[in-house]
Amino acid sequence: MTVNETAEGLVSTEMMEMRRAALDAMADLPGQSPASPPFAGVRVDGGPFLAAAPSDRVPGALVAAIVDRLDRTVGREGCGAALVTGLSGVFDLAATRRFHEALFRAVWREIEPMVGAEVPGRGYRTKVNLTADGAIPLELYGSRWSFKQIHMDRDALLFSHCYGPVSGYDGGEVILADARSYLSRHRARFTDLFEWSEEPTPGSKPVLRAEHQSDVMAECGVNLGCLDSDQILFVNNLPSAGILHGATPVQVRDPANYLREFHRCSVRRLADGEDGDAAADVDGGSSR
């Protein structure tokens, strides 16, 4: 095991502890009422922002609109996610992915100052990867499929997905849930609703237990439907944000033409002793 792998394992263990503590603490927050409907305002029409900006720049006003929705700090209670739409009329797929990465980095620059006190560390690493769902190398996570149960990623502090191309299947609808509102309203703690995922690699993530999914989704969740390259989904995955995500099961109906790719950007903190310049900007996984 390399020094970086050992350091990453320590970060994963620490992040598990932080996530459990944050979820437990939500029971003691003032009872919060989720938006009606939940995640109202999550969508951001990117078209007007892109039309008003030079073609080679990320519009600052679009970044601000995304951050406003992601920000769940005291006094700025955003919904914790942002779904940017209207991209296919401006970009082809390759250009959308380039824009996605540039937009993610711009959003992270605004989010990073909010992170330090909650998730201390000596720096952060941004990862960009392309995942073909159903064809993920088994040696990475023990499954060829992305993790679809409703959960909170273990290590990522912020992530975004741009889906496409997609074809040949039913299901795969993206779902979000506001666990913070649910836990605070019901005075529930980690052990009341969650379990740890079973992983072939070190570390686990909080997973909403199956018997609670319908209640949580009915009260504090949203189904965003099947996303494609017209859209980019951002999720605030800080422990205190309490945002869960997942997807409905994928049912392949046309194996010859099946394709479900998504371009993912994410950021996590570095551990003490970890080399921030190591070549880890690309991986084959989806949701760790």
Side-chain angles (χ1 to χ4, degrees), residues 2-277:
T2 67
V3 172
N4 271 349
E5 288 171 337
T6 301
E8 287 181 22
L10 291 173
V11 168
S12 295
T13 300
E14 291 171 355
M15 288 304 303
M16 289 173 65
E17 293 171 354
M18 288 182 193
R19 294 198 182 279
R20 175 165 184 155
L23 290 166
D24 273 338
M26 291 171 193
D28 300 320
L29 296 173
Q32 299 181 22
S33 297
S36 182
F39 293 93
V42 68
R43 288 173 173 78
V44 184
D45 184 357
F49 295 101
L50 294 168
S55 60
D56 60 343
R57 294 185 183 178
V58 173
L62 176 58
V63 173
I66 295 168
V67 171
D68 184 61
R69 287 160 172 79
L70 295 175
D71 189 353
R72 305 205 88 194
T73 55
V74 176
R76 297 199 55 191
E77 297 292 333
C79 66
L83 182 63
V84 181
T85 64
L87 302 179
S88 59
V90 181
F91 303 117
D92 61 19
L93 180 60
T96 297
R97 289 174 176 171
R98 291 192 297 271
F99 176 74
H100 175 204
E101 181 176 350
L103 181 61
F104 179 87
R105 293 181 185 277
V107 169
W108 170 244
R109 284 193 291 271
E110 300 300 316
I111 295 292
E112 183 177 355
M114 309 174 194
V115 174
E118 180 176 352
V119 187
R122 66 177 187 84
Y124 305 94
R125 170 179 290 162
T126 298
K127 300 177 74 172
V128 181
N129 58 278
L130 181 64
T131 293
D133 203 12
I136 299 172
L138 281 174
E139 62 270 18
L140 287 174
Y141 300 122
S143 173
R144 297 194 184 280
W145 297 90
S146 61
F147 196 87
K148 294 180 177 62
Q149 292 172 262
I150 302 174
H151 68 285
M152 182 184 289
D153 284 4
R154 182 185 63 220
D155 295 332
L157 306 175
L158 172 72
F159 70 84
S160 58
H161 288 179
C162 181
Y163 291 82
V166 291
S167 65
Y169 66 91
D170 297 316
E173 298 169 345
V174 176
I175 50 183
L176 302 174
D178 181 358
R180 190 168 79 181
S181 292
Y182 192 90
L183 290 166
S184 68
R185 293 181 71 187
H186 294 272
R187 297 291 181 254
R189 301 189 186 276
F190 181 93
T191 55
D192 296 319
L193 296 181
F194 291 91
E195 61 190 0
W196 292 107
S197 63
E198 295 184 4
E199 307 278 351
T201 54
S204 299
K205 49 185 168 278
V207 178
L208 185 64
R209 296 207 307 268
E211 64 265 30
H212 298 294
Q213 290 183 10
S214 60
D215 288 343
V216 172
M217 286 300 298
E219 187 173 322
C220 298
V222 66
N223 184 324
L224 297 175
C226 293
L227 305 185
D228 57 28
S229 58
D230 184 61
Q231 302 144 324
I232 297 172
L233 174 65
F234 285 82
V235 174
N236 179 346
N237 201 58
L238 286 171
S240 65
I243 301 300
L244 310 178
H245 64 282
T248 61
V250 170
Q251 297 148 355
V252 178
R253 55 176 167 73
D254 183 357
N257 294 300
Y258 168 76
L259 189 60
R260 187 176 187 262
E261 289 189 352
F262 57 95
H263 187 248
R264 173 178 166 96
C265 299
S266 63
V267 65
R268 66 170 179 82
R269 76 183 179 101
L270 296 172
D272 292 339
E274 185 179 1
D275 181 4
D277 296 325

